[in-house]
Amino acid sequence: MSLRIYLDGQIVDESEAKVSVFDHGLLYGDGVFEGIRAYNGRIFRLDEHLQRLYNSAKSLWLQIPVTMDEMAQIVVETCRANELRDGYIRLVVTRGVGDLGLDPRKCPKPTIFCIAANIELYPEELYETGLRLITCATRRINPDAFNVEIKSLNYLNNIMAKIECVQAGVPEGIMLSADGYVAEGTGDNIFCAYGDTLLTPPVYIGNLAGITCAATIELAESAGMTVKQELFRLHTVYCADEVFLTGTAAEMVAVIEVDGRPIGEGKPGAVVKRLRADFQSLVNSEGTPIYD
Ligand code: PXG
């Protein structure tokens, strides 16, 4: 069945959901996006996703022409148009149609579109067995050059790293900062567990402030764990009791090997299993309702 897409004020068939070749989202990656999940008829942390979208746009001097409440309604309407209860939502705002120069002032009207579809990032068995990772040679963009707290349409830094993972035959990889600290995965945040303590890198190193990462910190603290957001290097990853990744698409997934070093006992551990179960309860117990 073909999808119904929200595009600039209308819900249209996917065959009609087209943007101009002069759209600066396409010409320059000039725009912002969110990947959002719906579970059981409710949209998980929609307000947080919209806040991040509007903050990203603000930082890019991009004025989104609808209010945050109207944008929430756009997301809900797109889900309804596709009778979606569980799935993945992609919300995109580009600079809009302009000329062949960089100047954003030549783009009078941002383009807004929303896709609501089904996805499965990793096959279910990978959650059971856990992931083998490599460290990517491609370093995360230095935040002095571009702050990746802005969730922009320019993902080539991550895609270069992802290509390394594909070439190495692994599903994900670790990206380091320019000075060699662990930053994040290509599309996920990273955690190490040492006993009852969780470590995750601080956002200022050049990370996306993940919404799943924030939820994980809440769940871990409710479970009596200590969470430290601090800098660490690969040695800390190799020697951890457990390592796992968090993200909207992947949710929470165990890492069992990094660069050929088995992590802990080389299988998904108790901490990630507990947090995954708590996360499942959380996503099924809160969220913006799609239907009355
Ligand atoms: N870091 C980066 C670089 C991301 O792009 C996350 C962390 C996790 O953040 P959230 O808020 O989702 O917990 C992301 C978001 C994909 C894909 O297909 C992944 C993201 C976005 C778009 C596509 O893997 N991840």
Side-chain angles (χ1 to χ4, degrees), residues 249-263:
E251 301 175 330
M252 239 164 249
V253 61
V255 173
I256 55 158
E257 188 185 291
V258 177
D259 299 330
R261 282 77 158 176
I263 303 299

Side-chain angles (χ1 to χ4, degrees), residues 31 73 122 126 163 264:
Q73 207 47 41
Y122 298 131
L126 278 187
I163 290 167

Side-chain angles (χ1 to χ4, degrees), residues 33 49 52 88 90 121 140 151 155 158 184-189 208-213 246-249:
F33 79 100
H49 281 286
R52 189 169 67 183
Y88 190 74
R90 177 60 56 92
L121 180 65
R140 199 74 179 99
K151 197 163 165 61
Y155 254 55
N158 312 61
E184 59 183 335
T186 68
D188 327 88
N189 295 107
L208 188 74
I211 284 159
T212 321
C213 173
T246 67
T248 296

Side-chain angles (χ1 to χ4, degrees), residues 4-216:
R4 307 283 296 159
I5 311 288
Y6 173 91
L7 175 60
D8 287 335
Q10 284 181 303
I11 301 268
V12 297
D13 190 81
E14 65 176 86
S15 61
E16 287 153 35
K18 294 183 176 147
V19 296
S20 164
V21 293
F22 289 98
D23 194 302
H24 280 209
L26 176 62
L27 287 175
Y28 299 118
D30 187 355
V32 294
F33 79 100
E34 283 296 319
I36 310 169
R37 285 286 281 272
Y39 294 93
N40 198 19
R42 282 190 282 203
I43 302 166
F44 184 63
R45 306 243 157 141
L46 179 58
D47 293 347
E48 285 86 340
H49 281 286
L50 293 180
Q51 189 65 61
R52 189 169 67 183
L53 184 81
Y54 279 71
N55 284 348
S56 293
K58 182 167 197 181
S59 201
L60 288 183
W61 197 45
L62 196 174
Q63 176 121 31
I64 299 178
V66 299
T67 65
M68 235 189 267
D69 284 348
E70 287 164 344
M71 193 65 99
Q73 207 47 41
I74 286 169
V75 174
V76 168
E77 290 299 334
T78 311
C79 291
R80 283 187 190 160
N82 292 280
E83 293 173 18
L84 195 86
R85 292 190 63 81
D86 293 273
Y88 190 74
I89 300 155
R90 177 60 56 92
L91 179 59
V92 180
V93 182
T94 79
R95 187 75 65 180
V97 174
D99 64 14
L100 292 178
L102 293 175
D103 190 342
R105 293 173 304 176
K106 299 285 175 58
C107 307
K109 189 170 144 288
T111 304
I112 302 176
F113 61 87
C114 184
I115 307 167
N118 295 307
I119 62 137
E120 194 196 352
L121 180 65
Y122 298 131
E124 193 53 38
E125 65 176 81
L126 278 187
Y127 290 96
E128 301 299 324
T129 56
L131 310 182
R132 293 194 157 77
L133 307 188
I134 56 161
T135 301
C136 300
T138 304
R139 295 293 172 103
R140 199 74 179 99
I141 298 177
N142 188 324
D144 292 343
F146 182 77
N147 190 334
V148 298
E149 281 185 74
I150 301 170
K151 197 163 165 61
S152 83
L153 291 178
N154 201 316
Y155 254 55
L156 284 176
N157 178 228
N158 312 61
I159 290 167
M160 290 297 277
K162 188 77 180 188
I163 290 167
E164 292 183 52
C165 301
V166 172
Q167 297 290 352
V170 296
E172 250 295 357
I174 295 176
M175 297 186 77
L176 306 178
S177 68
D179 39 12
Y181 292 105
V182 171
E184 59 183 335
T186 68
D188 327 88
N189 295 107
I190 187 166
F191 284 83
C192 296
Y194 277 83
D196 272 347
T197 301
L198 287 187
L199 303 178
T200 192
V203 164
Y204 65 76
I205 194 175
N207 276 347
L208 188 74
I211 284 159
T212 321
C213 173
T216 303

